[in-house]
Amino acid sequence: MRSDGILGNRNEQVIGVKGSTSKRIKWLKRRERWLVVLGVILHAIYMLSIFDIYFKSPIVHGVDPVPPRFSAPAKRLVLLVADGLRADKFYEPDAEGNYRAPFLRSVIKNQGRWGVSHARPPTESRPGHVSIIAGFYEDPSAVLKGWKANPVEFDSVFNRSRHTISYGSPDIVPIFCGALQHSTWDTYPHEFEDFATDASFLDLWSLDQFKNLLNRSNEDPKLKELLQQENLVVFLHLLGCDSNGHAHRPFSSIYLNNVKVVDHVAESVYNLVQDYFKDNLTSYVFTADHGMSDKGSHGDGHPTNTDTPLVAWGAGVKHPMPTSSNNHSDCGFRFVDDHVHDTPTPIEWGLHGIERVDVNQADIAPLMSTLLGLPCPVNSVGILPRDYINMTKAEEVEAVLSNTKEILNQFLRKSHIKQSHLLYFKPFKPLSHYSSILDKIEGLILAKDYDAAMNLSENLRSLALQGLHYFQTYDWLMLMSVITLGYVGWMIYLVLHVLQSYTSLPGNVFGMERAAERNSHGKIYLCGCIVTGMLCLLFLLEHSPPLYHAYMIMTSFLWVQIISEYQFIKALWKHLFERRKNQVIKLLATAAVSFFIAEFLVNSFTDRKLYTGCFLIAGATASFYLFKSIPWRSGIPIYVCIACWFLSIFTLMPAEIPDNNLLVVSSGAVIIIIGIAARWLALHAGRRKYWLSMCNCELKNPKDSILFYIQAFLVALSSLMVYLSTSHRTEKQELLAFHQLINWSVAGFSMVLPLFSENSILSRLTSIFLGFAPPFLLLSIGYEAVFYAALGLVLMAWILFENTLFNLNIMNTSSSSTKNVTNHLILGYDNRSLQLSDVRIPLVFMVLFNIAFFGTGNFASIASFEISSVYRFITVFSPFLMAALLIFKLFIPFVLVICAFSAITKLNQVPRMGCYFLVILFSDVMTIHFFFLVRNTGSWMEIGNSISHFGIVSAQVVFVLLLFALTNTYTKNIQCNSSVPATRKAN
């Protein structure tokens, strides 16, 4: 009988194979370990490439500040930042028609200016505050560094001040004041940030600290003298809205009441400062670092996260003006979230008659610097919002020119650094004559032609910003070319490995080269080393970052490995053309279907609803095939259809999961019912033909029954704790330590029990399903608990489908045992060769793996993390522990999918590592597609999503391997009760 290898049929010779089996096993294991290590290193390195291409730090050192040539309008400045405050919740009225911030509304109408400040993703606290205070958009990689105090040193308004007074969160204030000598600051303990309580008291704490400071100054002459100095900055960080938004959502009464508290703090600070100084030389700026989504999270580019309020008043700030299209000159300016200036103001805000002036978040830093008469922070890219400052025309031109020169200095510094490093430098041509433009501006100022000077300054500033972007993206083409070649090389290398190691193909089957081939390999490696060395030397001469060398070395290494296999590739090409036409068509059709599924998964990242159609079609198709192949009385065709159609419902549901504790508790009952049904089948269905491989009826151990009852009890207990913990926390605003202890104990203990279950496929997978249910239920808030049950049903349907195909192949292949003996000896394992039809296993795995991503939300969005799901384990703010719990919850469905995948590879007797490498191959088809889909134009929401898609798929390859290693603990001793070994023995 011919063996259906991955490229077609081929006669196998068994003579001499047995003697080489031991050598074959060692070679294959060593090669698998090497490829796994290489894959992890490659994807880790290539994932870092997005930081060099897209997340490169905008900070450039050695830039000189530009001293202002105008008098300071204000002597001091008060900055109030309400962390997590949405613009709409601040401006709109409550249900009774009363506005939540009466003091600041009176300021808007009578004293100052207002608008919306547009933040840029990632809309997290650290980047938001850096943007406000330092004037630049910190590279998103800073979020990964936590809340360390200046992991990269940068200039800020606080640095330029004579003294800074700051009170607020321990996660924000030390970033800017921790290493600042001329500062007075204090923070509350981390324990104060308890999500189970109303966090508005944190805002009052900051107010009280500032009030106490002013009171102490009446008895401390040195402190009083310090407060009377010029260029004083007061910064109060108000965390209440952020904490209450996470814990109770921005529509809750607690969050909305916190807006009133923030307004009270602003009014109190204003009255304190006015009464203390009595000179009307204080400027006030009120804003927020980011907003809050409806589900109580932030991070992405949705307008609820990027739109924040901005109110400025006091010394140097213009008074309110009626709405008019002629009030300012930048009506067409587009903001970082793609909003156009003067977008319609919602009628319910009640401010449509007062001019609204929107800004980019980084524009606040030059505004504050100008009000204090300070140089702008040297890395600021903010544009001075002229419609906020109240200055003479001459001073206004000088302020804009100072802003322009500061951005131009950054451009010149970056240009000088690039030119000094590169052997071939391409300058930014539009600014080749910048000095003559500056001279012309100075001449216009001397001639008092302020309008022309203003226009020329703003044009020069715009060119300088374009120049900064030019040098920020200078290496993109080279890097993207190298990374693309690397991914293509890796995929080709994987294909060669799978064909050589897991299929029945001609050529060097055992991987042992002849002496003649070794000499040619040596020449190839030598040439590869020379070429790689020359490229790295070029990078070294150009002072390129170390990772540039790593990208080039990795790409060169892969292509050298491919070229060294030219003998096998030559034989493979010859073998392909010797095949029959129908086999070649079958190969091309399989490749086309695989590519189509990979593209389907790519598109599913932006449209979850595609999975609904996918599982509706899959359920109908699979059940139709089974109806034709096996008796309908078995119930398997109907079950497969119902399970797939049930799972298809979830991707129609909203990604923002609504709270529904009753649904979570009910899901526990559903999970127990599924467990009981699976247990009954394990005990009574094993004699049936299509269940024989999955059950082991001869070994009925009483301990297994006890284990099942314990697991069912833990699922029921976890459902009860979901109700008790949530109810008590809602009513008493706290989480009992007793409840917390039970939740941790149940979650931990339940995951250990599957290790002691019976090792037949059905029994072990049922135990794993019940074992991970308690922690998942305790981390659920709504319909995702039902999704867990639905996913378990579909995974069992997948196993039943594969088991049916396996039994049909045994019956339909008369000499399968002879073929299997041959393939076993070739592979050296208890496995057969991979066949072309086996490609369906990794493809189905990828679909199920991705439905675990998107079944209950949009994992590609940072804001999809639902922080309230961890409140049954911890409520005191601990970002790393909370993130760990959230990630663990997201990984539980993946664990189920991989356990089912491992069981299927054992059931079908195919090499699991061969299927794993095919999974990596198809994942990298998606990765390289996403790499080209990364955008650098359009809204920042689109840009951020495109980058996150690439990062997720790249990381997917790495953590699939980690999950394989983790789940191997549960699946390594699974046994199939198959009739095939007996058939082999007879032969």
Side-chain angles (χ1 to χ4, degrees):
M1 181 67 187
R2 289 174 173 269
S3 173
D4 183 17
I6 203 166
L7 287 179
N9 297 329
R10 178 181 173 269
N11 290 321
E12 291 290 351
Q13 301 295 328
V14 189
I15 301 173
V17 171
K18 290 184 179 180
S20 302
T21 299
S22 177
K23 201 171 186 180
R24 169 68 173 171
I25 293 174
K26 292 180 181 178
W27 174 84
L28 192 54
K29 285 186 176 180
R30 186 168 62 249
R31 188 176 175 89
E32 286 174 348
R33 285 195 296 267
W34 155 245
L35 264 181
V36 165
V37 172
L38 178 64
V40 172
I41 294 173
L42 177 139
H43 287 91
I45 290 175
Y46 284 175
M47 276 186 67
L48 292 175
S49 69
I50 64 174
F51 294 100
D52 281 321
I53 297 173
Y54 303 104
F55 293 169
K56 198 169 184 179
S57 175
I59 295 175
V60 55
H61 296 289
V63 180
D64 295 326
V66 179
R69 300 187 304 191
F70 55 87
S71 56
K75 189 175 180 180
R76 68 196 67 84
L77 181 137
V78 175
L79 173 63
L80 304 172
V81 178
D83 202 310
L85 178 58
R86 277 169 54 159
D88 57 347
K89 298 305 172 189
F90 174 76
Y91 290 122
E92 70 185 16
D94 57 23
E96 299 176 357
N98 300 319
Y99 292 99
R100 302 184 184 99
F103 168 72
L104 289 172
R105 286 188 70 85
S106 67
V107 167
I108 292 172
K109 293 181 176 180
N110 303 310
Q111 299 184 56
R113 305 288 270 163
W114 77 285
V116 172
S117 170
H118 298 279
R120 166 179 158 176
T123 45
E124 301 289 345
S125 293
R126 178 195 165 92
H129 281 87
V130 169
S131 177
I132 293 169
I133 300 169
F136 69 92
Y137 302 105
E138 192 169 28
D139 58 305
S141 61
V143 178
L144 306 177
K145 302 168 186 172
W147 288 271
K148 298 177 183 176
N150 291 9
V152 178
E153 293 295 329
F154 54 81
D155 193 18
S156 71
V157 176
F158 295 174
N159 292 15
R160 297 291 163 189
S161 70
R162 182 162 296 179
H163 198 85
T164 295
I165 297 168
S166 180
Y167 298 107
S169 167
D171 297 319
I172 296 299
V173 172
I175 293 176
F176 302 95
C177 300
L180 196 63
Q181 298 297 322
H182 55 277
S183 65
T184 302
W185 60 277
D186 196 9
T187 64
Y188 38 77
H190 276 286
E191 292 74 24
F192 280 23
E193 301 176 32
D194 189 343
F195 289 146
T197 63
D198 183 352
S200 59
F201 76 96
L202 300 176
D203 301 344
L204 298 175
W205 182 93
S206 299
L207 172 63
D208 291 339
Q209 297 301 309
F210 179 61
K211 186 186 300 183
N212 293 338
L213 178 76
L214 295 181
N215 292 334
R216 288 201 314 271
S217 69
N218 294 323
E219 302 173 0
D220 186 344
K222 290 185 178 180
L223 179 58
K224 193 172 188 66
E225 182 182 356
L226 183 147
L227 292 175
Q228 295 294 339
Q229 293 179 348
E230 295 182 348
N231 301 333
L232 176 71
V233 176
V234 177
F235 168 49
L236 298 187
H237 177 247
L238 311 176
L239 185 64
C241 287
D242 184 73
S243 296
N244 284 329
H246 286 314
H248 309 288
R249 313 295 172 86
F251 288 98
S252 66
S253 59
I254 294 178
Y255 179 91
L256 299 177
N257 183 69
N258 205 145
V259 179
K260 300 178 182 179
V261 174
V262 165
D263 182 73
H264 166 71
V265 171
E267 182 178 17
S268 299
V269 169
Y270 174 75
N271 292 331
L272 285 170
V273 171
Q274 292 297 106
D275 292 342
Y276 185 88
F277 293 103
K278 299 182 176 65
D279 57 6
N280 292 324
L281 292 177
T282 306
S283 298
Y284 302 86
V285 175
F286 172 87
T287 187
D289 55 345
H290 56 74
M292 184 74 61
S293 71
D294 291 345
K295 61 185 292 187
S297 59
H298 53 82
D300 64 13
H302 193 274
T304 56
N305 291 326
T306 59
D307 290 0
T308 61
L310 173 62
V311 182
W313 73 100
V317 180
K318 285 183 178 178
H319 286 274
M321 297 179 66
T323 301
S324 171
S325 59
N326 299 320
N327 283 341
H328 42 78
S329 59
D330 56 347
C331 300
F333 186 75
R334 302 183 79 85
F335 296 91
V336 290
D337 59 348
D338 213 28
H339 284 201
V340 182
H341 196 93
D342 275 354
T343 52
T345 301
I347 297 176
E348 60 268 22
W349 289 9
L351 297 171
H352 52 277
I354 305 173
E355 185 189 11
R356 163 184 165 183
V357 184
D358 288 8
V359 301
N360 287 325
Q361 195 172 61
D363 300 344
I364 298 175
L367 171 63
M368 293 191 295
S369 297
T370 300
L371 291 173
L372 288 172
L374 298 172
C376 292
V378 295
N379 292 116
S380 171
V381 293
I383 295 175
L384 176 64
R386 293 191 293 115
D387 293 307
Y388 277 85
I389 55 174
N390 185 19
M391 305 172 75
T392 64
K393 200 68 175 179
E395 290 180 325
E396 188 175 338
V397 171
E398 289 291 354
V400 171
L401 181 59
S402 177
N403 182 209
T404 299
K405 286 181 177 179
E406 178 271 323
I407 296 174
L408 183 63
N409 282 353
Q410 293 181 68
F411 163 80
L412 295 175
R413 179 62 180 166
K414 284 196 173 187
S415 178
H416 172 73
I417 293 173
K418 272 293 180 186
Q419 187 172 8
S420 62
H421 289 169
L422 297 180
L423 299 179
Y424 174 71
F425 174 72
K426 294 187 295 183
F428 183 66
K429 293 181 180 179
L431 280 177
S432 56
H433 303 292
Y434 72 92
S435 57
S436 62
I437 300 176
L438 285 176
D439 292 339
K440 188 175 180 179
I441 293 172
E442 296 289 353
L444 291 171
I445 292 175
L446 289 175
K448 296 185 178 181
D449 189 353
Y450 298 127
D451 290 334
M454 184 76 72
N455 291 333
L456 202 55
S457 296
E458 290 178 340
N459 290 336
L460 180 61
R461 181 177 61 191
S462 178
L463 288 175
L465 287 171
Q466 294 176 31
L468 286 177
H469 179 73
Y470 172 79
F471 286 114
Q472 192 75 9
T473 60
Y474 191 89
D475 296 328
W476 277 20
L477 180 60
M478 181 272 295
L479 288 174
M480 294 180 79
S481 300
V482 171
I483 300 302
T484 301
L485 282 173
Y487 274 118
V488 172
W490 166 249
M491 290 189 290
I492 295 175
Y493 192 46
L494 272 185
V495 171
L496 295 177
H497 168 71
V498 171
L499 295 179
Q500 287 178 324
S501 304
Y502 307 108
T503 65
S504 50
L505 275 175
N508 196 4
V509 176
F510 296 104
M512 302 298 164
E513 296 96 347
R514 294 186 296 271
E517 293 177 353
R518 291 177 183 174
N519 293 332
S520 62
H521 285 184
K523 293 178 182 178
I524 293 172
Y525 292 144
L526 178 61
C527 292
C529 289
I530 292 173
V531 173
T532 305
M534 292 176 62
L535 292 172
C536 289
L537 179 62
L538 179 63
F539 281 156
L540 192 64
L541 292 174
E542 292 186 345
H543 302 278
S544 298
L547 279 176
Y548 284 28
H549 297 261
Y551 306 146
M552 185 60 69
I553 290 172
M554 182 62 68
T555 301
S556 301
F557 172 79
L558 288 169
W559 282 98
V560 168
Q561 292 295 318
I562 293 169
I563 295 172
S564 69
E565 297 287 350
Y566 73 96
Q567 291 284 7
F568 177 76
I569 297 172
K570 182 179 177 182
L572 185 64
W573 187 260
K574 181 180 178 182
H575 176 73
L576 181 62
F577 279 95
E578 289 176 354
R579 297 299 89 198
R580 297 175 183 174
K581 187 177 181 180
N582 63 333
Q583 293 175 349
V584 176
I585 292 174
K586 183 180 177 182
L587 172 65
L588 294 176
T590 303
V593 171
S594 302
F595 182 77
F596 173 79
I597 292 177
E599 288 301 298
F600 165 82
L601 294 175
V602 167
N603 286 280
S604 71
F605 273 66
T606 53
D607 188 3
R608 296 169 58 233
K609 294 179 181 178
L610 288 174
Y611 286 107
T612 299
C614 171
F615 279 95
L616 287 175
I617 296 172
T621 306
S623 61
F624 178 75
Y625 176 83
L626 292 174
F627 265 123
K628 291 181 61 178
S629 305
I630 63 175
W632 66 271
R633 296 182 185 86
S634 65
I636 293 175
I638 298 174
Y639 169 76
V640 170
C641 183
I642 292 174
C644 290
W645 286 6
F646 182 35
L647 187 64
S648 69
I649 297 172
F650 292 91
T651 46
L652 294 176
M653 295 183 179
E656 290 78 19
I657 302 173
D659 287 341
N660 193 330
N661 286 319
L662 181 60
L663 190 59
V664 177
V665 174
S666 302
S667 301
V670 173
I671 290 170
I672 293 174
I673 293 171
I674 294 173
I676 292 172
R679 178 67 180 170
W680 184 88
L681 289 170
L683 293 176
H684 300 93
R687 299 297 180 187
R688 299 177 186 177
K689 183 194 311 183
Y690 298 106
W691 294 86
L692 179 61
S693 301
M694 302 171 57
C695 304
N696 194 354
C697 295
E698 277 91 28
L699 299 175
K700 291 186 179 179
N701 193 333
K703 292 183 180 179
D704 295 329
S705 297
I706 296 174
L707 179 64
F708 173 76
Y709 294 140
I710 293 174
Q711 289 190 294
F713 169 74
L714 290 177
V715 174
L717 180 59
S718 62
S719 299
L720 178 63
M721 293 309 301
V722 166
Y723 175 76
L724 293 177
S725 300
T726 306
S727 299
H728 189 275
R729 184 176 63 83
T730 303
E731 294 174 3
K732 305 294 184 181
Q733 296 294 308
E734 64 177 347
L735 176 66
L736 287 179
F738 179 66
H739 288 171
Q740 195 173 1
L741 177 63
I742 293 178
N743 293 343
W744 280 102
S745 301
V746 169
F749 182 62
S750 65
M751 291 185 293
V752 179
L753 294 179
L755 297 174
F756 304 98
S757 63
E758 202 263 317
N759 59 7
S760 67
I761 288 181
L762 187 57
S763 296
R764 177 55 61 88
L765 293 182
T766 301
S767 184
I768 293 171
F769 175 73
L770 293 175
F772 282 91
F776 194 83
L777 289 173
L778 289 168
L779 288 167
S780 297
I781 62 169
Y783 71 81
E784 77 268 37
V786 187
F787 171 79
Y788 180 86
L791 181 63
L793 292 174
V794 167
L795 293 176
M796 184 51 63
W798 182 29
I799 295 172
L800 288 172
F801 183 82
E802 290 292 341
N803 183 52
T804 302
L805 292 181
F806 180 72
N807 284 278
L808 289 173
N809 288 335
I810 292 174
M811 292 186 296
N812 295 334
T813 308
S814 59
S815 58
S816 62
S817 49
T818 303
K819 176 184 70 175
N820 282 330
V821 169
T822 301
N823 289 337
H824 278 217
L825 292 172
I826 291 172
L827 288 175
Y829 294 110
D830 189 29
N831 292 318
R832 58 176 173 80
S833 294
L834 278 177
Q835 302 173 9
L836 189 58
S837 58
D838 292 326
V839 173
R840 74 181 182 278
I841 298 175
L843 287 175
V844 173
F845 168 79
M846 287 186 62
V847 173
L848 291 171
F849 197 81
N850 279 273
I851 195 68
F853 269 113
F854 297 106
T856 58
N858 180 13
F859 192 84
S861 169
I862 299 172
S864 287
F865 292 98
E866 183 51 68
I867 197 169
S868 63
S869 62
V870 306
Y871 292 161
R872 300 184 189 105
F873 290 93
I874 183 174
T875 58
V876 176
F877 181 66
S878 176
F880 297 105
L881 179 57
M882 288 179 166
L885 288 171
L886 287 169
I887 292 172
F888 172 69
K889 175 195 173 184
L890 293 169
F891 275 8
I892 289 176
F894 303 148
V895 170
L896 297 186
V897 175
I898 290 181
C899 286
F901 175 77
S902 299
I904 286 173
T905 57
K906 291 196 174 188
L907 183 68
N908 281 339
Q909 292 145 354
V910 296
R912 187 173 72 155
M913 288 304 295
C915 291
Y916 166 70
F917 288 128
L918 288 177
V919 168
I920 292 182
L921 175 65
F922 296 136
S923 295
D924 282 328
V925 173
M926 298 171 58
T927 302
I928 200 169
H929 191 147
F930 279 125
F931 189 70
F932 283 109
L933 287 179
V934 171
R935 300 186 55 176
N936 60 355
T937 58
S939 73
W940 272 103
M941 183 177 182
E942 294 168 334
I943 295 171
N945 281 343
S946 66
I947 294 173
S948 68
H949 292 163
F950 168 72
I952 287 170
V953 179
S954 299
Q956 179 175 317
V957 177
V958 178
F959 68 68
V960 164
L961 175 66
L962 298 177
L963 287 173
F964 263 109
L966 173 65
T967 56
N968 190 54
T969 308
Y970 294 96
T971 60
K972 63 182 178 181
N973 61 344
I974 286 181
Q975 295 180 1
C976 299
N977 184 27
S978 177
S979 60
V980 176
T983 308
R984 293 181 191 142
K985 187 175 181 181
N987 280 275

